[in-house]
Amino acid sequence: MNSTEYRGKIKRVLITKEEIDSKIAEVGADISREYEGKPLLIVSILKGAFVFMADLCRAVDIPCEIGFMCAQSYYNGTSSSGIVNITMDLAQDISKYHVIIAEDIIDTGRTLADVIKLLKARNPLSLKVVTLLDKPDRRLVDLKADRSLFTIPDLFVIGYGLDCGEMYRNLPYIAEYDPEGQAEK
Ligand code: IMP
Ligand code: MG
């Protein structure tokens, strides 16, 4: 794929870098206030949330640790099986931390529901979910983030860590993906 083909699939920018930055600054300040004096661990599930995590943790100005996990969830029909395959686990013993999961997007909610179940079983001091994007129209499990930065309609989005076929994670904004998009002339 060349650059013009790449750009041709970007239908429109949904959320600009400036809009993302300003929301993250707000959430970072709130987290800093709420968790002051508490052992805080911010966890993200690779790969989609890596850009959000990088910006969010720098908007937090209290001491905190970060952790990454790789997780694949198994589904039976439309319900979550509760079986999640962790291909890379956290290094920290989370029973010693207040944990915030920083997620890229909640779509059906199945993966995150399984990860929450797994992490709760490890008895963290507390567990909250902050998601950059929420697509509530697509939800298949009963799951609501404690904080959602942007609610979006049922569109496939790319950029700011989110991919389509492993591409577009490096776009600095969130865009709608156009599968029919042609190379720019
Ligand atoms: P779930 O359906 O909520 O389990 O979503 C799991 C994962 O699918 C998310 O963490 C994303 O990595 C990916 N995903 C869901 N919707 C989109 C989208 O619109 N663009 C890119 N990735 C998505
Ligand atoms: Mg994800």
Side-chain angles (χ1 to χ4, degrees):
M1 185 190 282
N2 64 34
S3 297
T4 55
E5 286 164 350
Y6 191 73
R7 280 196 301 273
K9 302 280 188 198
I10 302 166
K11 195 178 229 169
R12 66 192 165 111
V13 176
L14 274 188
I15 307 167
T16 64
K17 176 77 175 82
E18 291 69 29
E19 289 171 319
I20 297 170
D21 287 348
S22 116
K23 277 274 184 188
I24 288 182
E26 213 178 277
V27 174
D30 291 345
I31 290 174
S32 305
R33 254 193 315 276
E34 189 178 339
Y35 290 87
E36 174 69 61
K38 296 177 178 170
L40 173 62
L41 173 65
I42 308 176
V43 170
S44 90
I45 306 161
L46 293 172
K47 298 176 204 168
F50 82 103
V51 178
F52 178 45
M53 168 65 126
D55 284 343
L56 181 66
C57 74
R58 285 176 294 172
V60 169
D61 65 2
I62 56 168
C64 75
E65 291 185 35
I66 62 164
F68 294 98
M69 294 177 84
C70 267
Q72 274 139 11
S73 192
Y74 296 101
Y75 310 131
N76 45 3
T78 55
S79 66
S80 164
S81 64
I83 303 166
V84 59
N85 180 30
I86 305 296
T87 52
M88 189 182 89
D89 207 343
L90 296 169
Q92 292 91 346
D93 167 6
I94 67 168
S95 68
K96 298 180 168 58
Y97 296 88
H98 292 273
V99 175
I100 297 174
I101 301 176
E103 181 58 308
D104 53 351
I105 185 164
I106 308 180
D107 186 31
T108 66
R110 293 182 296 197
T111 313
L112 189 57
D114 286 345
V115 169
I116 289 171
K117 216 176 284 173
L118 179 101
L119 293 186
K120 275 193 175 156
R122 296 180 184 176
N123 296 312
L125 296 173
S126 68
L127 181 65
K128 283 195 177 177
V129 175
V130 175
T131 188
L132 175 68
L133 302 172
D134 189 2
K135 268 200 260 185
D137 296 349
R138 298 248 315 158
R139 200 76 90 253
L140 294 175
V141 296
D142 182 22
L143 175 70
K144 210 172 168 297
D146 297 284
R147 187 88 180 247
S148 161
L149 278 65
F150 302 96
T151 299
I152 61 167
D154 182 12
L155 299 171
F156 195 81
V157 293
I158 49 173
Y160 200 76
L162 289 132
D163 75 309
C164 181
E166 291 301 328
M167 299 285 253
Y168 304 101
R169 295 193 196 275
N170 60 325
L171 295 176
Y173 47 77
I174 307 279
E176 181 182 353
Y177 179 72
D178 183 0
E180 312 298 333
Q182 300 295 313
E184 285 181 335
K185 298 278 159 8

